[in-house]
Amino acid sequence: MEHAVAATPAWAVLAYLVAGVLFILSLRGLSSPESSQAGNRNGMIGMAVAVGTTLILHPTGLPLIIGAIAIGGGIGWVIAQRIQMTAMPELVAGFHSLVGMAAVLVGCAAYLNPAAFGIVDEAGAILAVSRVEMGLGVAIGAITFSGSIIAFLKLSGRMSGSPILLPGRHVLNLGVLAGILILTGVFAFDAAAAMGQGPLLWIILGLSFVIGVTLIIPIGGADMPVVISMLNSYSGWAAAAMGFTLQNTAMIITGALVGSSGAILSYIMCRAMNRSFISVIAGGFGAEADAGGPKAAGPAKSYKAGSADDAAFIMQNAESVIIVPGYGMAVSQAQHALREMGDLLKKEGVSVKYAIHPVAGRMPGHMNVLLAEANVPYDEVFELEDINSEFGQCDVAFVIGANDVTNPLAKTDKTSPIYGMPILDVEKAKTVLFVKRSMGGVGYAGVDNPVFYADNTMMLLADAKKMVENIVKGLNGGGH
Amino acid sequence: MDFLSILSIFVLAVFVGYYVVWSVTPALHTPLMAVTNAISSVIIVGALIAAAEGAKAVSESGGISLWLGLLGVVLASINIFGGFAVTRRMLAMYKKKDKKPAASK
């Protein structure tokens, strides 16, 4: 570029590249728990390199900037130390919103003070290509921000997790989305916008905030793993768009990494529910549950209920137990009691394993983190494909706070909303112990689970944590 | 750098991301989200430039750029420190079978 206001020196370009490579290595480290901590360190070093390089290139206003880093860093540090592991989904959603807002702020600052970013021509007009990047970056950032706020409110229970369906929402959303794209095009060719004037960017910004809300409110609680992964992806694309504006390789590489990471996680989550991405985004899943009332009003089916002592007795005399945790375990914080139960069983010579469905919980990997928190060794925890064939030979399947992911109707009933979803074959175990708060609720999909009424199933109706604690008492009392 | 070189870097990085992320073990998907969150805050680079350049010329168009930049720095810093710290906390919990947690009871 002839106009070399902010031509970056070669050493700095290389430093940003190094930061980008370190970020790649930080994700690479997560391929196994052993290398993961080193990976995280690489990420921190990469960030330090990127920030340090920028501060050396732009050494003005340092006291204010360092103050800002100290304030933000302090807040972030305290949150990270205090947050409960069960609250991880809302924390991640909240953090996504901050990335989105930061992208919006950077975009606006670049629009108002373009010379500082070296994106103006000789006449002082903002380059057209920069305006496209700016418009898209601000739009994606704003959608990430308001969408993540809604996801945060839903996940933390401050807002109902059930879908909110606006009339004509598909037309509305598509219309607004088209509007944003058209306005971004106009923004690129508008002469006033080139001089940093006119309302176009602010209209794009406003519309994007609105569509972030209307996109997420119709999506129900059970689909949150997809939503949170999708917003993760958006926050990456927002960073990448800003990287284009600033011609910064660290930002572009990172944005591309995070963007594809979130997209892959969304895909994995959708596949684990046998639903298309479009159908999840369109929302409304779980809303039909209430409409399907008549089915539930039929003659009450009989089931076998058991006590904690029964469960303790059965598991003590089993050779192998597979534990299937779900969101209910997270809600009642039963993971520590559960690990204690597992330890006692192992002492009795029972083989104990954990089976995790990809969409158990509210975000990808949610159950794994909770079990790790409770000191369950990660080599006792298995993914669906690795353990599903073992249910046939196992004595007891202990289901705690999971429902839809164990529902065999997904294999047989073509009319069921969860048809085709890969499930954990708990019904093949000799005995199924099903911990559930009451017989009333039927999971998020609103589908009854035939496993409840099977001959080899014993329902343990109570709060998950209390039930497990009582089982632990039973194991301690009756064992020796 | 011209637009096309930047675009090339971007496209290649998407592919790198694709292969790297598929190699992440599902057990670590939550830490993956936390750490991607932290590194996407590299957007702080933009906020730092906005703040630093804004501080140069507070009287003109710089004033608002300074404050937008500083706010961006605060938000991104929350994310950077929070994201890396919480990832570290999570990763420290993943243990193998051998070490028995004999500390409690």
Side-chain angles (χ1 to χ4, degrees):
Chain A
M1 226 172 290
E2 308 149 61
H3 196 79
V5 171
T8 321
W11 69 265
V13 174
L14 290 176
Y16 283 129
L17 185 61
V18 167
V21 170
L22 283 166
F23 291 145
I24 295 174
L25 292 176
S26 80
L27 298 197
R28 178 71 194 139
L30 294 177
S31 56
S32 85
E34 286 95 19
S35 59
S36 60
Q37 304 212 30
N40 196 38
R41 265 195 299 280
N42 282 330
M44 294 186 215
I45 298 170
M47 189 60 74
V49 170
V51 170
T53 307
T54 313
L55 289 180
I56 293 171
L57 287 177
H58 305 270
T60 40
L62 271 181
L64 280 174
I65 288 173
I66 289 174
I69 294 179
I71 293 173
I75 298 174
W77 180 261
V78 170
I79 294 176
Q81 303 308 317
R82 293 208 179 149
I83 192 80
Q84 292 227 335
M85 285 299 142
T86 41
M88 204 49 71
E90 55 257 40
L91 177 76
V92 168
F95 277 173
H96 285 156
S97 74
L98 298 181
V99 180
M101 197 61 205
V104 168
L105 293 172
V106 172
C108 293
Y111 178 63
L112 295 171
N113 191 10
F117 292 84
I119 50 172
V120 289
D121 61 16
E122 294 82 0
I126 308 172
L127 303 169
V129 65
S130 299
R131 274 177 278 153
V132 174
E133 295 155 3
M134 207 183 273
L136 288 178
V138 165
I140 303 171
I143 294 173
T144 310
F145 172 75
S146 55
S148 298
I149 294 281
I150 300 295
F152 171 81
L153 292 175
K154 286 196 172 204
L155 287 164
S156 60
R158 289 179 176 86
M159 184 176 159
S160 157
S162 54
I164 299 169
L165 303 175
L166 299 175
R169 65 204 148 87
H170 297 315
V171 179
L172 183 88
N173 284 342
L174 288 175
V176 174
L177 206 58
I180 291 171
L181 289 175
I182 293 167
L183 284 176
T184 305
V186 176
F187 181 61
F189 291 105
D190 188 60
M195 304 311 292
Q197 284 154 358
L200 276 173
L201 188 69
W202 313 123
I203 299 175
I204 294 173
L205 187 58
L207 285 177
S208 305
F209 279 130
V210 171
I211 199 177
V213 174
T214 55
L215 271 178
I216 306 301
I217 53 170
I219 304 179
D223 284 341
M224 276 301 148
V226 180
V227 170
I228 199 167
S229 315
M230 183 184 84
L231 291 167
N232 185 240
S233 182
Y234 288 178
S235 70
W237 303 130
M242 285 301 142
F244 273 96
T245 306
L246 303 186
Q247 312 198 333
N248 183 298
T249 43
M251 283 167 83
I252 290 171
I253 294 176
T254 314
L257 285 179
V258 177
S260 31
S261 168
I264 290 172
L265 290 176
S266 311
Y267 168 76
I268 294 175
M269 295 298 113
C270 285
R271 192 182 56 180
M273 295 193 288
N274 190 41
R275 308 211 15 232
S276 74
F277 188 67
I278 300 291
S279 90
V280 173
I281 297 309
F285 192 70
E288 296 86 4
D290 309 319
K295 226 190 252 174
K301 287 179 256 180
S302 68
Y303 59 90
K304 220 168 18 181
S307 70
D309 288 334
D310 299 336
F313 180 78
I314 292 172
M315 285 195 281
Q316 240 165 3
N317 293 301
E319 272 176 30
S320 55
V321 174
I322 299 180
I323 298 173
V324 180
Y327 183 57
M329 178 193 81
V331 172
S332 76
Q333 301 262 24
Q335 65 270 29
H336 300 280
L338 194 64
R339 196 259 309 151
E340 209 176 323
M341 183 186 98
D343 284 350
L344 287 170
L345 287 172
K346 277 189 276 179
K347 234 184 257 167
E348 306 265 342
V350 182
S351 129
V352 178
K353 287 177 180 173
Y354 296 80
I356 311 265
H357 191 280
V359 292
R362 280 291 181 268
M363 73 186 292
H366 193 185
M367 291 299 122
N368 302 79
V369 170
L370 294 183
L371 292 176
E373 184 199 13
N375 275 320
V376 172
Y378 62 79
D379 34 11
E380 285 177 10
V381 182
F382 297 88
E383 302 301 318
L384 178 123
E385 311 90 72
D386 301 326
I387 198 163
N388 223 5
S389 58
E390 291 185 30
F391 280 105
Q393 292 96 52
C394 102
D395 293 319
V396 178
F398 186 84
V399 185
I400 173 165
N403 182 3
D404 293 335
V405 298
T406 65
N407 194 332
L409 286 182
K411 290 184 279 194
T412 53
D413 182 2
K414 285 194 179 158
T415 61
S416 168
I418 57 170
Y419 179 71
M421 170 169 155
I423 62 151
L424 289 160
D425 299 327
V426 292
E427 82 278 8
K428 291 188 180 155
K430 288 200 189 81
T431 307
V432 182
L433 298 174
F434 217 114
V435 183
K436 200 167 178 311
R437 189 178 294 272
S438 69
M439 287 306 285
V442 282
Y444 295 98
V447 194
D448 209 0
N449 189 342
V451 171
F452 300 160
Y453 315 105
D455 288 337
N456 61 339
T457 300
M458 183 186 276
M459 298 301 295
L460 305 169
L461 300 175
D463 171 74
K465 188 178 178 187
K466 278 213 189 90
M467 175 55 75
V468 177
E469 280 169 355
N470 286 336
I471 294 175
V472 167
K473 270 185 215 152
L475 287 171
N476 274 329
H480 319 263
Chain B
M1 262 188 289
D2 60 312
F3 179 75
L4 285 180
S5 349
I6 297 180
L7 187 67
S8 317
I9 295 175
F10 175 70
V11 172
L12 292 176
V14 169
F15 278 90
V16 171
Y18 179 86
Y19 288 105
V20 169
V21 171
W22 272 114
S23 76
V24 172
T25 169
L28 292 178
H29 276 164
T30 296
L32 171 69
M33 297 198 86
V35 83
T36 50
N37 212 322
I39 66 174
S40 62
S41 306
V42 71
I43 192 120
I44 195 174
V45 167
L48 289 171
I49 296 176
E53 295 297 318
K56 260 188 207 164
V58 182
S59 51
E60 301 156 43
S61 55
I64 188 151
S65 158
L66 169 68
W67 293 110
L68 289 176
L70 284 178
L71 185 56
V73 171
V74 172
L75 297 183
S77 302
I78 295 179
N79 232 327
I80 293 172
F81 284 78
F84 282 125
V86 87
T87 308
R88 204 172 105 155
R89 216 180 116 198
M90 276 192 275
L91 293 175
M93 299 184 315
Y94 283 81
K95 291 187 199 80
K96 262 197 157 170
K97 212 176 275 177
D98 322 328
K99 286 183 211 162
K100 276 190 181 162
S104 59
K105 296 174 200 173

